[in-house]
Amino acid sequence: MRILVIGRGGREHTIVWALRKNPKAEHIFCAPGNAGIAQLAELVPIGELEFDKLVQFAKDKAIDLVVVGPDDPLAAGIVDAFEAASIPVYGPNKAAAEIEGSKIFMKNLLKKYDIPTAKYETFTDYASARDYLASQPVPIVIKADGLAAGKGVTVCFTREEAEQALKDTMVDKSFGAAGDKVVIEEFLSGQEMSILAFVDGETVRAMPAAQDHKPAYDGDKGPNTGGMGTYSPLPHIPQSIIDDAIENIVKPTARAMVSEGRPFRGVLFGGLMITADGPKTIEFNARFGDPETQVVLPRLKGDLLEIILASLEGRLDDVEIEWSDEAAVCVVLASGGYPGSYPKGLPVDGLDAAAGAGDALVFHAGTAEQEGRVVTAGGRVLGIVGLGAGIAEAREAAYRAAAHIDFEGKQHRTDIAAKALV
């Protein structure tokens, strides 16, 4: 098979790595890819939103399967573009991807079908939003409606923070057009949990639960990021709670999308909060998570390509999907200044030493090749994944491998997966 993977981050590196395990994957292309993906696939210098060029490339190269990684092209209708050209493509179409592309759509869907989530109101007018905010207790959460690279959510612990976040989003357009509409949402306290699932209509095959670390700094301090690290499994969270979330949130959401005439095919990713009243929905994403994918796919004993093909052929319910008991911990190494502005083009050293650790995987996120050297090219540069019999062993392996990597301004959290060890 000739496969085209769309994207350039750590998620896509992990997807390519997993697809290559199947001997059917004779040639993998990645558009546009990164320096790490270049070691496993042929890079294609076409951007994720250049649909016409991507479709033409797929025709020219007789591509048998397209796998879409990022949220932006999904929300913009990339699946529809490939389907119109009769090219097999894995991911939700534009109508289904709106579950991530619009937080207002997602919240209204959950409300209509009585799926657990935080209380909320939505606004298109700044003055009305400001007046409503003044009547609400803090902490409170301000969310830009549209896609904002995982950074459009602000948890506000004081009224001043909330007022500033609302102004930044709706008036100063810190998230661009994504902030034209906002959701003002009740603050939920508890432990966060991510559940990814292979979904085809009403068929839901859940993956092992993971936990992300969104804030930039140790102790969950600082601004939100796209994710500074993850781990799986979650030994400190009872399986009964995970099962509750799958049965009462993920599966009903898949059924709701079918009822709305927007059947979902692809990876549905629930970001959940385990509250005193049980799991509640924070958000849904319409694709593999990043960096959740980096700890979930290494635990897959089955075959990712076979799962994708089964889904496209309407037999997802029949395919065998097994998961390893092994633990995985991902530590993200980020550029200095991230999630704000940061330099690019800085040399990255120690990659071979980190990859040679034996119990670790190195997934590139924001890298490029420049004059024969790997250099930084994004905010999140690398995801270092440690593997082990348990979380403690996997965590030690991840940090041991991460210590080999060096680039100017390198930053990372030192407490990834610490919650699982308490």
Side-chain angles (χ1 to χ4, degrees):
M1 290 187 71
R2 296 166 69 80
I3 301 169
L4 171 62
V5 176
I6 309 291
R8 68 181 72 197
R11 163 185 47 229
E12 289 75 33
H13 191 177
T14 313
I15 290 170
V16 169
W17 170 83
L19 290 172
R20 268 183 60 98
K21 292 183 176 183
N22 189 315
K24 290 182 186 175
E26 58 180 315
H27 200 125
I28 301 179
F29 300 89
C30 188
N34 62 39
I37 295 173
Q39 299 171 25
L40 304 174
E42 182 178 338
L43 300 193
V44 181
I46 303 176
E48 297 95 327
L49 295 172
E50 296 182 280
F51 294 177
D52 290 345
K53 291 182 180 179
L54 289 167
V55 169
Q56 189 59 53
F57 175 85
K59 289 178 178 178
D60 293 343
K61 296 293 184 180
I63 295 297
D64 299 299
L65 172 67
V66 178
V67 180
V68 185
D71 46 10
D72 285 336
L74 289 169
I78 191 171
V79 168
D80 308 67
F82 280 109
E83 287 181 341
S86 299
I87 298 169
V89 55
Y90 186 67
N93 62 19
K94 185 175 182 178
E98 194 169 1
I99 197 168
E100 177 173 12
S102 169
K103 292 183 178 66
I104 291 176
F105 169 81
M106 184 269 295
K107 293 292 288 189
N108 289 343
L109 180 82
L110 300 183
K111 185 177 184 179
K112 178 178 179 179
Y113 290 91
D114 199 25
I115 297 167
T117 190
K119 296 174 185 174
Y120 72 101
E121 292 292 340
T122 65
F123 298 91
T124 58
D125 173 68
Y126 172 66
S128 300
R130 184 187 57 201
D131 291 345
Y132 174 79
L133 184 62
S135 69
Q136 299 303 301
V138 291
I140 200 162
V141 183
I142 311 292
K143 294 182 174 181
D145 174 58
L147 299 174
K151 303 172 196 169
V153 177
T154 309
V155 180
C156 309
F157 291 94
T158 68
R159 193 157 301 284
E160 293 73 24
E161 286 177 348
E163 291 169 353
Q164 187 62 50
L166 185 65
K167 181 175 180 294
D168 287 346
T169 303
M170 296 196 81
V171 178
D172 299 335
K173 301 296 182 186
S174 54
F175 304 113
D180 290 347
K181 305 173 187 177
V182 298
V183 176
I184 299 180
E185 189 175 86
E186 167 195 21
F187 173 77
L188 296 178
S189 60
Q191 288 235 41
E192 287 195 45
M193 175 172 67
S194 301
I195 295 181
L196 286 71
F198 299 107
V199 173
D200 182 12
E202 295 192 13
T203 301
V204 174
R205 304 292 300 274
M207 305 181 210
Q211 189 173 80
D212 190 11
H213 297 65
K214 285 284 189 187
Y217 311 129
D218 285 3
D220 290 335
K221 305 295 185 185
N224 261 4
T225 70
M228 293 299 290
T230 44
Y231 63 99
S232 178
L234 310 182
H236 58 307
I237 295 177
Q239 186 61 41
S240 59
I241 290 178
I242 297 171
D243 293 340
D244 179 4
I246 294 168
E247 294 299 323
N248 295 310
I249 294 178
V250 182
K251 288 183 178 180
T253 299
R255 291 195 294 268
M257 292 293 282
V258 172
S259 297
E260 291 294 304
R262 303 172 185 243
F264 191 99
R265 174 184 283 166
V267 173
L268 184 63
F269 163 13
L272 313 171
M273 183 70 76
I274 303 169
T275 74
D277 299 321
K280 292 188 178 182
T281 314
I282 301 172
E283 64 181 2
F284 270 106
N285 295 324
R287 35 72 190 180
F288 274 110
D290 190 344
E292 289 85 359
T293 305
Q294 288 88 310
V295 294
V296 173
L297 284 188
R299 298 188 59 210
L300 177 63
K301 292 172 71 176
D303 189 305
L304 178 62
L305 180 56
E306 291 298 335
I307 294 168
I308 289 173
L309 294 176
S311 183
L312 293 178
E313 295 165 8
R315 52 183 181 86
L316 178 60
D317 216 15
D318 300 327
V319 70
E320 186 174 342
I321 304 177
E322 289 187 83
W323 301 94
S324 167
D325 292 331
E326 191 174 44
V329 174
C330 176
V331 176
V332 170
L333 306 183
S335 296
Y338 177 77
S341 59
Y342 50 83
K344 296 181 182 180
L346 302 173
V348 179
D349 295 315
L351 289 166
D352 290 342
D359 49 5
L361 302 166
V362 177
F363 292 121
H364 291 232
T367 66
E369 188 173 319
Q370 196 174 87
E371 297 178 359
R373 293 202 65 180
V374 174
V375 299
T376 64
R380 293 184 296 172
V381 179
L382 298 164
I384 312 300
V385 177
L387 305 170
I391 292 294
E393 189 176 308
R395 186 172 186 266
E396 183 180 335
Y399 280 109
R400 184 168 58 244
H404 289 292
I405 304 291
D406 187 45
F407 55 88
E408 185 181 336
K410 180 184 87 169
Q411 62 164 324
H412 64 82
R413 285 184 55 161
T414 65
D415 60 349
I416 303 300
K419 292 174 186 174
L421 302 177
V422 175

